[in-house]
Amino acid sequence: MNGWMVRVTVPGEPPSVRFFAVAEGEPKRALFLVNTAINGSPPRDRIETVKELSSATLEGMGLKSDEVRDVTSNPPDH
């Protein structure tokens, strides 16, 4: 199972950016899972998939299906 790196950008000066690893192969569902994990996002926030994550990367992180992890301080390389 592959997954996605999702970026959440909150507008401001400077903008606040967070990254999440999501163990979900479908991009739209990955966005939904992140939005749910952060208790909903205001409409002005931008939530987007930024790159696909390999199953090996997800396994190395210990993520199982539908799990979301904030990786802002240490995003995976691949």
Side-chain angles (χ1 to χ4, degrees), residues 58-75:
L58 296 173
E59 286 178 28
M61 297 175 69
L63 287 174
K64 305 226 183 295
S65 182
D66 288 350
E67 287 186 334
V68 175
R69 179 170 301 153
D70 187 334
V71 295
T72 302
S73 61
N74 190 24

Side-chain angles (χ1 to χ4, degrees), residues 33-65:
L33 291 171
V34 169
N35 193 42
T36 300
I38 61 175
N39 296 317
S41 177
R44 62 181 170 69
D45 293 357
R46 182 176 180 155
I47 302 176
E48 59 191 327
T49 55
V50 291
K51 78 175 168 181
E52 194 167 7
L53 299 175
S54 69
S55 57
T57 298
L58 296 173
E59 286 178 28
M61 297 175 69
L63 287 174
K64 305 226 183 295
S65 182

Side-chain angles (χ1 to χ4, degrees), residues 2-15:
N2 290 344
W4 287 93
M5 175 74 69
V6 174
R7 177 175 48 215
V8 178
T9 305
V10 178
E13 290 300 323

